[in-house]
């Protein structure tokens, strides 16, 4: 909800593309990207942070988290 209300959800979905470093909007984009990466890092456990701390782009962090948590555990499902 915070990302939608702050108009930042496009960083996660890839709708807001990464500008080239010589683009005049790059510094603003980079500032927003860094803020979102820090939000994501501060929202997960330390063990997960170890695998995403070196990712630079919000979309990469988000895709890593999505891939990690979208996989189902067949044994756990069978147990239920």
């Amino acid at each position: 909800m915070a990302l939608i209300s702050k108009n930042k959800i496009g960083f996660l979905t890839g709708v807001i593309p990464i500008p080239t470093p010589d683009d005049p909007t790059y510094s603003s984009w980079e500032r927003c990207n860094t803020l979102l990466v820090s939000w994501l890092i501060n929202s997960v456990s330390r063990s997960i942070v170890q695998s995403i701390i070196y990712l630079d782009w919000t979309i990469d962090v988000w895709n890593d988290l999505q891939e990690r948590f979208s996989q189902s555990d067949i044994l756990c499902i069978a147990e239920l």
Side-chain angles (χ1 to χ4, degrees):
M1 290 189 305
L3 294 173
I4 292 170
S5 68
K6 299 285 186 183
N7 211 14
K8 305 292 186 232
I9 197 76
F11 281 82
L12 300 181
T13 61
V15 172
I16 299 174
I18 303 169
T20 59
D22 60 338
D23 189 312
T25 64
Y26 183 78
S27 63
S28 296
W29 181 91
E30 186 177 38
R31 186 175 57 247
C32 290
N33 179 71
T34 303
L35 174 70
L36 295 176
V37 169
S38 78
W39 283 356
L40 291 170
I41 286 172
N42 289 315
S43 298
V44 297
S45 67
R46 284 185 161 198
S47 62
I48 295 171
V49 167
Q50 298 304 316
S51 69
I52 62 173
I53 193 77
Y54 299 107
L55 298 174
D56 293 326
W57 312 124
T58 304
I59 193 166
D60 294 337
V61 173
W62 186 253
N63 287 339
D64 181 88
L65 294 172
Q66 185 177 24
E67 184 178 317
R68 177 188 309 262
F69 292 108
S70 67
Q71 296 177 5
S72 60
D73 184 349
I74 300 298
L75 294 175
C76 184
I77 292 171
E79 212 173 286
L80 291 173

